[in-house]
Amino acid sequence: MSSGRVFRHARLRMTVAAAAVCALSAALLAPQAAAADAAPYSETYRPQFHFTPDKNWMNDPNGLVYYQGEYHLFYQYNPNGNSWGDMSWGHAVSADLVHWQQLPLALSQDDKEMVFSGSAVVDENNTTGFGTTANPPMVAIYTSHNKSTGIQSQSLAYSTDRGRTWTKYQGNPVIDIGSTDFRDPKVQWYTPTKSWLMTVSLSTEHKVRFYFSKNLKDWTQLSEFGPAGATGGVWECPDLFPLAVDGDTNNIKWVLVVNINPGGIAGGSAAQYFIGDFDGTKFTAEDDGTHTPPNGTVVQDFEGTGFGSWTAAGTAFGPGPAAGTLDGQQTVAGFDGKGLANSFHSGDATTGTLTSPSFTVDSPYLNFKIGGGRHPHQPGKVLADFEGGTYGGWGTTGNAFGPAPAAGTLPGQQQVSGFQGSGLVNTFLNGDAGTGTLTSPGFTIDKRYVNFLIGGGNHPAGSANPTALELLVNGQVVRSATGKNAEALETASWDVSDLAGKKAQIKVVDSNTGSWGHINADQIVLSDTQARPGAQETSVNLIVDGQVVRSATGSDSEMLDWASFNMVPHLGKKAQIQLVDMNTGGWGHILADQFTAADSPALSVLQRAHWADYGKDYYAAVSWENAPDSKRYMIGWMNNWDYAGAIPTSPWRGGQSIPRQLALRTVDGVVRLTSEPVDSVTSLRQPSPATATAGIVTNTSKSLIGPAAEGKALDIEATFSLKDAERFGLKVRTGTAGEETVIGYDTTTQELYVDRTHSGAVDFNSTFPGIQTAPLKAANGEIKLRILVDWSSVEVFGGDGEAVITDQIFPDPAGQGVQVFAENGSVTLNSATVWHLDSTHG
């Protein structure tokens, strides 16, 4: 069995069997301390107006119901620690959805079961017999996770004192199909049939199943929905509810929310939805998911016997296109014609690149199909990649380096592997007899890490005859690295945050003529993200002026799907396409096909799916039942299973989003689910907001208002009129060392975006830093933003709530600035108002 198959199946078992409801992280890392002795709710990253438990781990919201003036929020909770485990239901109540009172533990795990996610209802007619019609019971319907068998079944508990104390039903479970992936029941009263309706997930099958009951105890299956939409991970925490379209109560549609992990639009966890009809038995989605990509000029379709003018380096891509599935590989599907690029040759153990010839960009989009591993390119400033046949501005001495980079293994040398592209530094030019140095031009250290690949001899700097890579500041060696007496290059990194702003040089030194007296080096990159061994990329990159300007990766799937690069900013420039496989671990391969220059973008399944939020941190989203005036409020867990166990918070871990009011609105002729912060958020606004002066902003980033707008808990409303700026918007939590969270609009792609690459602590997980985007068209030439900033999050609502991005951030507490910016042109700031928000904790 190949390494790719082993990893995929192991990952699936881990995600499903070890996961709690709404999925579990692949690895819950040790907590990172955060002011353990701080006063309650004043810890460094403690949210001030989002719900968090006093201490310990929290994930999915559960049991959302309104009863006798109280919104109930139950949630997945570990009463015994700050990492996932011992799943039980915590409990809080609120009169306004922003001020929360924590109550004692509601439903506790025991020796036999953990209490996974579910819902709660008020049994007004006492159909269960758990209460009386005068004092109807509140009933929780939850997933029992059997600790000994892993079986997930649906169970009941009830309360007759407004949810303060609970009794588990002696007849549990009420539904048991013998499955380990059957969870998260959402139950509601369905008036047309005067019965209870349950929506529950068959997680690994990517299905939602519907049941009905007259008494919450005896259930009959109605129908199933799925697979549909995004299916890259398990389906969890479903929800089903009706909404009026554009406020027209004569035009009701049903919304089915299905949370997914991994495989979300921004990577990892996310909340997708379907719009359609529910007839009392089955749900039918309006969108059937079909997609016809735009026509264009085919650049490479891999239909020939070889790669043509494309150049392969390494062994991963083989001598030519693959005819489909390779030995030991799961079935490859979704490619066009007879051939594709497939880097699974000899399994995941091989590495290499496949690079197109240089071409002039003359079309707005480059569309292509992609599959394989999810190992994204980590952006950075390339100091040297040793491509192009020269050392560029690097100076050499001695005879070890020769006039140009090596193309790989040199005569008499063991096989060299692990380098990227077609060139590297390799001082085995004259065997181990050669010596010399290779020194870079000066550069400014403006990022936190220097990442590189290194191999060769183990002779550290400072020894008699080093073979070393050195970082020089003021001519002094301040960092160094050496090989491990191996020809394979490995990932290494220096933390240079203490050297920010200093001028530096990189020097490669070979002073050794003995055994292993040489050094290999490649891909020296300044980055805000630390390179991690075993996490190298499997990606398709667009390279312009030697820099990766666009990148895409697979989704840990052998099914190819459409992707697209926006080429507009690069029209007229020379570019190359490069397929990169630098990963030898699980899913360490890439698939690609059908590169096509076109006038409009092809859309992936993820782009065609509908998302309640486009950020990284909105998951397990479900809505309240019985809300006054038939309003529909939703809340989500503000975290992502990619890094949920690693976020640097203590003594709690996990928060909930701001509750949001949902609506169905027609946007550009399509009915969309929109969301805006619950109205009661405005009650937290302090008087006398700061107001910006309207005007034109051109090619600058400057304070929006001044000190009056600075803060860690803010509510910002801003409106811009488009001019010719490519990007514009606001930066929040700006501070020292270049920290900032950028909330912008890209006119070239018509997308709202949040860039948290420089937002503070980002290096606890490689998937955390990055940019999240959401489609958003200007309305009458204007872009409207509503931004909620808390001590460790931003929630951005674009337009009238049709584009929402929720992201956690972990900035330095001193970073409280707010700036307005415009890039490559001008934009008109029409208005901007900043309110400071009161804490809800006292």
Side-chain angles (χ1 to χ4, degrees), residues 106-108 110 112-113 115 123 126-131 137-142 144 153-159 165-176 198 213 215-219:
L107 302 178
S108 178
D110 56 34
K112 294 182 179 179
E113 71 173 9
V115 182
D123 186 10
N126 194 31
T127 63
T128 57
F130 292 151
M138 185 180 294
V139 182
I141 308 93
Y142 66 91
S144 299
S153 56
Q154 315 318 318
S155 294
L156 306 179
Y158 61 91
S159 170
T165 60
W166 290 84
T167 301
K168 291 182 180 178
Y169 174 46
Q170 292 299 308
N172 284 338
V174 295
I175 309 179
D176 184 356
M198 178 189 291
S213 173
N215 59 10
L216 292 176
K217 300 173 183 176
D218 303 299
W219 293 89

Side-chain angles (χ1 to χ4, degrees), residues 201-554:
S201 176
L202 300 171
S203 297
T204 57
E205 298 177 42
H206 307 116
K207 291 181 179 180
V208 168
R209 182 174 286 182
F210 302 101
Y211 290 86
F212 87 94
S213 173
K214 292 295 185 180
N215 59 10
L216 292 176
K217 300 173 183 176
D218 303 299
W219 293 89
T220 301
Q221 182 178 332
L222 291 170
S223 64
E224 292 180 351
F225 172 79
T231 57
V234 292
W235 276 18
E236 301 180 312
C237 302
D239 195 2
L240 178 70
F241 50 84
L243 282 175
V245 178
D246 298 322
D248 181 0
T249 55
N250 294 315
N251 184 11
I252 301 294
K253 294 188 181 295
W254 287 77
V255 179
L256 176 63
V257 175
V258 182
N259 293 270
I260 182 173
N261 175 68
I265 183 64
S269 315
Q272 71 170 322
Y273 68 89
F274 302 88
I275 296 175
D277 295 307
F278 182 73
D279 63 4
T281 299
K282 67 178 180 178
F283 175 82
T284 304
E286 291 184 338
D287 184 354
D288 64 5
T290 58
H291 176 61
T292 302
N295 293 323
T297 302
V298 176
V299 175
Q300 172 64 278
D301 58 10
F302 300 109
E303 293 301 294
T305 56
F307 290 124
S309 57
W310 290 45
T311 303
T315 59
F317 291 92
T325 308
L326 296 173
D327 290 344
Q329 190 173 25
Q330 298 177 58
T331 301
V332 174
F335 61 98
D336 291 349
K338 299 178 180 179
L340 77 155
N342 184 344
S343 72
F344 197 77
H345 287 84
S346 300
D348 283 329
T350 53
T351 62
T353 60
L354 182 61
T355 309
S356 77
S358 179
F359 63 93
T360 301
V361 177
D362 58 5
S363 293
Y365 294 92
L366 178 69
N367 299 328
F368 55 96
K369 287 193 164 184
I370 188 171
R374 181 167 77 105
H375 306 287
H377 171 78
Q378 298 296 336
K381 181 186 297 183
V382 177
L383 298 176
D385 58 9
F386 304 109
E387 302 297 305
T390 74
Y391 286 122
W394 291 51
T396 62
T397 65
N399 62 349
F401 294 89
T409 307
L410 294 172
Q413 189 175 26
Q414 299 176 52
Q415 180 70 37
V416 175
S417 62
F419 62 99
Q420 292 190 21
S422 57
L424 78 155
V425 172
N426 182 347
T427 66
F428 198 79
L429 181 63
N430 298 299
D432 283 329
T435 62
T437 64
L438 176 68
T439 307
S440 77
F443 61 93
T444 300
I445 298 176
D446 58 2
K447 296 184 182 297
R448 183 167 181 177
Y449 296 97
V450 177
N451 299 325
F452 50 92
L453 300 173
I454 190 167
N458 184 0
H459 307 287
S463 64
N465 302 106
T467 53
L469 185 73
E470 299 175 344
L471 178 67
L472 308 181
V473 174
N474 296 325
Q476 300 298 310
V477 178
V478 295
R479 302 284 191 278
S480 66
T482 190
K484 298 180 179 178
N485 289 347
E487 300 295 10
L489 283 77
E490 295 185 356
T491 301
S493 185
W494 295 321
D495 185 337
V496 294
S497 55
D498 60 318
L499 302 172
K502 295 185 179 297
K503 287 286 188 179
Q505 289 178 288
I506 300 290
K507 188 174 185 179
V508 189
V509 178
D510 177 356
S511 298
N512 199 296
T513 59
S515 176
W516 284 102
H518 65 280
I519 184 169
N520 306 327
D522 195 14
Q523 290 297 317
I524 304 171
V525 179
L526 275 170
S527 178
D528 286 304
T529 305
Q530 183 177 17
R532 298 175 183 270
Q536 293 92 348
E537 65 186 281
T538 53
S539 61
V540 174
N541 295 333
L542 178 71
I543 301 172
V544 176
D545 296 330
Q547 302 292 319
V548 176
V549 296
R550 294 283 189 274
S551 184
T553 189

Side-chain angles (χ1 to χ4, degrees), residues 691-700 702-705 718-725 728-730 820-822 825-832:
T691 304
T693 301
I696 296 175
V697 183
T698 304
N699 291 330
T700 188
K702 62 182 182 180
S703 176
L704 176 64
I705 297 166
T719 303
F720 297 85
S721 286
L722 275 59
K723 290 178 71 66
D724 61 352
F728 61 84
L730 300 175
V820 62
F821 76 93
S826 301
V827 68
T828 300
L829 175 65
N830 296 330
S831 64

